C-alpha cells in the first residue's frame, strides 16, 4: 500500500531525474519541498489546482492554477516549498536536467540562434515566475507527460524514450514562448484529438479518456472538434470505422464477426446496424453483390 503522500523517482540517469509528487489523502495542508540541484534546469508541471510556491533563494511567492508549468535554471542548489490549502491534493511532476546535457543538446557555439536559446534559459526568460501569467500546458504537453508516466520499459530503451520526450517538451516550450502574444493554444485541440482518434478508432474510446488524456473538459473537446471538422467526435469515429469495414468486407475470407472486432465493435449486431445505416445494406448483402 502506498503512502498517503509520496514522492516517486520515476527515472534517474546521470543527466536527468524525474520525480512525481502526489498526495492521495491530503489533510488540511499538503506540503512538499522541491530541491533544485546546482547548475540544473527544472521543468515543473503543476497538476492540481491552487498550488502555492515559495522559492527561498529569490524570495518569490506564487499561486499556480492547475495545468500550468515553469522552466527554471538554478545556478546553485536551492529549495522551494510547495503547498495547497483546504484539503486539496498536491500533485506535480518535476523534471531536472543537468546544465551540461542542455549545453550539448543546444550547442550554443554552433550558431547565434542556439546561443540565444541557451541565454534565454539561463536568464530564466522561460520561467514566467516573474510575469503575471505562468504558461498553461498545451494539449501535446499533457499527452507527452501521460506517455512518460505510463512508460514501462527499463534500461537503455527507457533512457532513449525519456530523452526524446524531454526534447519534444523543450521544443513545445520554446514555440509557446515565441508565440506567447498570439492566439490562444486551445486551437490545437481538434488536431491532436483527430490524430489520437485516427490511431485508436478500432478500440472503445470514451469521452472521459479524451478529457483525461489532454486535460480539457469534455464539452470543450466536443465544441472545438465540431467547429473545426463539422462532425461530432462520435460521428468521426463511426466514419473511420465504416470506411475500414467497407475495405475489409470485399475479402470473403474474413468473417463478419472478425471485421466487427477489427473496426472496434464488441457486438456484431451493433456493427451490422451501423453498417446498414451508413451504406443502406447489411454487410452480408454488400459482400454478395
Amino acid at each position: 500500500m502506498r503512502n498517503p503522500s509520496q514522492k516517486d523517482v520515476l527515472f534517474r540517469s546521470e543527466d536527468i531525474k524525474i520525480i512525481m509528487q502526489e498526495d492521495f489523502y491530503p489533510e488540511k495542508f499538503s506540503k512538499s519541498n522541491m530541491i533544485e540541484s546546482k547548475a540544473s534546469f527544472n521543468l515543473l508541471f503543476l497538476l492540481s489546482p491552487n498550488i502555492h510556491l515559495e522559492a527561498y533563494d529569490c524570495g518569490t511567492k506564487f499561486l499556480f492554477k492547475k495545468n500550468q508549468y515553469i522552466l527554471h535554471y538554478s545556478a546553485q542548489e536551492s529549495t522551494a516549498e510547495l503547498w495547497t490549502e483546504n484539503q486539496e491534493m498536491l500533485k506535480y511532476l518535476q523534471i531536472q536536467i543537468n546544465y551540461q546535457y542542455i549545453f550539448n543538446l543546444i550547442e550554443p557555439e554552433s550558431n547565434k540562434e542556439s546561443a540565444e536559446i541557451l541565454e534565454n534559459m539561463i536568464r530564466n526568460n522561460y520561467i514566467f515566475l516573474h510575469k503575471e501569467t505562468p504558461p498553461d500546458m498545451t494539449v501535446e504537453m499533457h499527452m507527452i507527460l501521460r506517455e512518460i508516466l505510463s512508460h514501462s520499459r527499463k534500461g537503455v530503451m527507457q533512457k532513449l524514450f525519456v530523452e526524446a520526450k524531454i526534447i519534444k517538451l523543450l521544443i513545445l516550450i520554446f514555440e509557446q514562448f515565441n508565440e506567447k502574444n498570439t492566439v490562444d493554444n486551445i486551437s490545437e485541440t481538434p488536431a491532436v484529438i483527430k490524430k489520437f482518434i485516427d490511431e485508436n478508432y478500432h478500440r472503445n474510446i470514451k469521452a472521459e479518456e479524451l478529457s483525461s488524456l489532454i486535460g480539457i473538459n469534455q464539452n470543450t473537446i466536443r465544441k472545438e472538434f465540431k467547429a473545426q471538422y463539422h462532425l461530432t467526435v462520435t460521428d468521426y469515429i463511426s466514419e473511420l470505422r465504416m470506411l475500414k469495414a467497407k475495405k475489409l468486407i470485399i475479402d470473403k475470407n474474413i468473417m463478419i464477426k472478425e471485421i466487427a472486432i477489427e473496426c472496434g465493435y464488441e457486438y456484431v449486431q451493433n456493427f451490422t446496424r451501423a453498417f446498414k445505416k451508413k451504406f443502406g445494406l447489411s454487410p452480408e448483402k454488400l459482400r454478395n453483390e
Side-chain angles (χ1 to χ4, degrees), residues 14 21 31 66 82 103 187-188 219 232 237 241 248:
E14 290 181 0
Q21 161 71 41
K31 289 190 176 183
K66 185 178 181 179
L82 296 95
F103 184 94
S187 59
E188 75 185 70
N219 289 335
T232 66
I237 293 172
R241 289 175 171 178
L248 295 175

Side-chain angles (χ1 to χ4, degrees), residues 73-265:
Y73 173 68
S74 179
Q76 302 296 326
E77 181 175 305
S78 60
T79 305
E81 186 175 50
L82 296 95
W83 71 93
T84 59
E85 298 177 4
N86 304 321
Q87 294 185 314
E88 290 180 300
M89 175 182 281
L90 175 60
K91 183 177 180 181
Y92 64 83
L93 185 77
Q94 179 192 4
I95 301 176
Q96 187 166 273
I97 313 165
N98 288 349
Y99 169 84
Q100 195 59 47
Y101 181 87
I102 295 291
F103 184 94
N104 295 337
L105 183 67
I106 293 176
E107 296 183 338
E109 297 169 348
S110 61
N111 59 63
K112 186 179 177 182
E113 183 184 5
S114 296
E116 287 177 354
I117 288 175
L118 185 63
E119 183 68 16
N120 274 326
M121 292 177 74
I122 292 172
R123 290 180 176 272
N124 287 326
N125 289 340
Y126 297 106
I127 184 178
F128 294 81
L129 259 181
H130 301 294
K131 311 218 180 267
E132 290 184 5
T133 309
D136 294 314
M137 293 169 60
T138 66
V139 173
E140 284 185 278
M141 289 178 190
H142 273 284
M143 294 182 76
I144 290 171
L145 291 194
R146 185 182 177 92
E147 288 175 327
I148 290 174
L149 291 172
S150 61
H151 189 68
S152 58
R153 293 187 183 180
K154 301 297 179 185
V156 67
M157 293 301 293
Q158 184 185 30
K159 184 175 184 293
L160 291 172
F161 176 85
V162 166
E163 289 183 1
K165 295 303 174 184
I166 288 175
I167 289 169
K168 180 60 177 174
L169 282 172
L170 290 172
I171 291 170
L172 293 172
I173 289 169
F174 300 153
E175 288 176 349
Q176 188 183 42
F177 183 77
N178 290 330
E179 298 168 3
K180 63 182 182 296
N181 294 320
T182 61
V183 214
D184 82 46
N185 292 306
I186 197 67
S187 59
E188 75 185 70
T189 301
V192 176
I193 290 296
K194 181 178 180 297
K195 182 175 183 294
F196 180 81
I197 292 172
D198 288 345
E199 296 171 354
N200 294 277
Y201 68 88
H202 57 282
R203 63 181 185 80
N204 186 18
I205 304 173
K206 296 183 178 179
E208 298 82 7
E209 180 183 4
L210 292 174
S211 180
S212 170
L213 180 72
I214 62 174
I216 294 175
N217 70 60
Q218 296 174 35
N219 289 335
T220 301
I221 288 172
R222 293 189 187 101
K223 180 180 175 184
E224 294 292 328
F225 191 91
K226 189 169 183 180
Q228 179 71 29
Y229 298 112
H230 309 291
L231 277 173
T232 66
V233 171
T234 303
D235 286 344
Y236 182 64
I237 293 172
S238 177
E239 186 74 16
L240 290 180
R241 289 175 171 178
M242 289 300 104
L243 288 173
K244 182 167 186 176
K246 193 173 183 182
K247 288 179 182 178
L248 295 175
I249 208 73
I250 61 174
D251 187 346
K252 294 185 178 182
N253 293 319
I254 307 175
M255 294 173 62
I256 299 295
K257 182 178 181 180
E258 291 175 324
I259 295 175
I261 293 171
E262 184 71 19
C263 294
Y265 291 91

